[in-house]
Amino acid sequence: MGSLNNVETTNKPINPLDPEEFRKQAHLVVDFIADCYSNIEQYPVCSQVKPGFLTETMPKIAPLEPEPIENIMQDVQNHIIPGLTHSESPGFFAFFPCTASIGNFLGEMLIIGFNAIPFNWFASLAATELEMVVLEWVLNLLQLPKSFWFSSDGGGVLLGSTCEALVCTLVAAREKKLSKVAAKEGVLEKMVVYCSDQTHFSLRKACGVVGISPQNVCAIDTKKSMNFKLSSLALLKAIETDLRSGLIPLYVCLTVRTTQTTAVDPLRTLCEIANRFGTGADILSVQP
């Protein structure tokens, strides 16, 4: 993969987005992907190669010159596909559903093609306002209160994954809490995050990213008799115990359809407990 035989550069000018070359190469890649999906059942679901297969095949340094697209796609066929787990295969019944679709492919092409950089409304009006429109479609479908809407005091952003959303909401909760409590040394070490023992492991990882100690992630035990839901009484007891110990309740993570058992936490009751302690939505996150 990647030829290093010719180490002399040609100094040939390169146009990174020549329209005709893009058209030609894009058609080749689309045909390649379509062929893969046409024969997806012929590929083994799990990779059959051994660890080190790709690192031993790759050159030690990057090629000095671009290679023809035909060579690259041949490398993909010979070296990449054998090392993939094919989650789009009809024989895949594991941890995540396949999200590939015609709409996804074409949408990604348009996004990359426009090269929009939506820092704010001025940087990309259409991207900013389209996000607002789509979010309000979702709010309408879920029949959420008007307080969630942009037209009220609500609003939000679309994120790429649950992991990303957890980090963003933890940061928001942390900063809001810091604005309310005295900015003393060690206050961050007192902040506690609550969840059930069924909550996805990504919450602990997100807590580490934003500076919450692993010891301050309170995973409350669930019971089979309660269908592995987070108990409101257990949450209440945990928060009250922490308050007496001088700790600061920061964030409650509720889950709708847990990974292990598809349990759904009692959202209304748990939200009422969060509000009871004057923390409200700043310590609440719902993880789908």
Side-chain angles (χ1 to χ4, degrees):
M1 179 181 287
S3 172
L4 293 176
N5 293 329
N6 179 16
V7 296
E8 295 183 3
T9 60
T10 61
N11 293 322
K12 179 180 178 181
I14 298 174
N15 182 350
L17 193 54
D18 176 83
E20 291 310 313
E21 191 63 26
F22 167 69
R23 192 188 313 276
K24 169 191 168 185
Q25 295 187 19
H27 284 172
L28 191 153
V29 172
V30 169
D31 287 343
F32 181 89
I33 295 172
D35 289 342
C36 285
Y37 274 90
S38 296
N39 302 291
I40 192 62
E41 69 280 355
Q42 298 180 16
Y43 294 108
V45 173
C46 295
S47 172
Q48 305 297 301
V49 298
K50 296 180 180 180
F53 159 78
L54 190 59
T55 52
E56 293 170 1
T57 306
M58 294 282 286
K60 300 305 179 185
I61 61 174
L64 301 179
E65 293 287 337
E67 292 204 349
I69 185 64
E70 293 80 6
N71 292 9
I72 294 172
M73 299 312 299
Q74 191 60 53
D75 282 341
V76 172
Q77 181 68 58
N78 295 339
H79 301 286
I80 302 301
I81 288 182
L84 294 177
T85 297
H86 294 285
S87 60
E88 71 280 10
S89 168
F92 183 86
F93 300 103
F95 46 83
F96 224 79
C98 175
T99 56
S101 69
I102 293 175
N104 283 349
F105 284 129
L106 300 183
E108 290 286 349
M109 291 175 67
L110 286 170
I111 290 170
I112 296 171
F114 290 135
N115 194 31
I117 307 174
F119 294 136
N120 52 30
W121 182 87
F122 179 79
S124 186
L125 183 156
T128 303
E129 296 197 3
L130 180 60
E131 183 177 43
M132 295 171 64
V133 170
V134 172
L135 277 169
E136 298 215 338
W137 287 350
V138 175
L139 294 173
N140 187 50
L141 286 170
L142 297 177
Q143 293 295 291
L144 290 175
K146 287 296 181 182
S147 58
F148 284 85
W149 293 58
F150 285 97
S151 54
S152 181
D153 294 325
V157 294
L158 295 172
L159 297 171
S161 68
T162 301
C163 300
E164 187 180 4
L166 286 170
V167 170
C168 289
T169 52
L170 278 165
V171 169
R174 182 193 66 191
E175 295 307 303
K176 189 170 184 179
K177 181 63 69 175
L178 286 172
S179 70
K180 293 181 178 180
V181 300
K184 298 179 181 179
E185 184 177 352
V187 69
L188 186 60
E189 285 75 13
K190 295 182 179 180
M191 294 184 179
V192 183
V193 170
Y194 303 89
C195 62
S196 82
D197 59 2
Q198 302 296 304
T199 301
H200 196 270
F201 75 93
S202 57
L203 176 66
R204 289 186 178 273
K205 295 176 67 176
C207 287
V209 170
V210 304
I212 304 299
S213 170
Q215 289 76 24
N216 284 16
V217 179
C218 178
I220 299 171
D221 292 339
T222 57
K223 299 179 180 179
K224 182 178 180 181
S225 60
M226 292 184 61
N227 293 324
F228 301 103
K229 299 176 182 179
L230 176 56
S231 164
S232 56
L233 292 178
L235 175 64
L236 179 60
K237 182 178 178 181
I239 293 176
E240 290 177 338
T241 299
D242 287 341
L243 285 170
R244 287 194 295 270
S245 300
L247 298 175
I248 303 172
L250 173 69
Y251 184 102
V252 177
C253 183
L254 312 182
T255 306
V256 176
R257 193 182 61 82
T258 59
T259 302
Q260 297 96 317
T261 61
T262 69
V264 177
D265 291 333
L267 305 185
R268 184 181 297 277
T269 304
L270 295 172
C271 288
E272 290 172 353
I273 292 173
N275 287 325
R276 188 184 309 177
F277 291 92
T279 51
D282 59 324
I283 71 161
L284 179 66
S285 173
V286 179
Q287 181 181 7

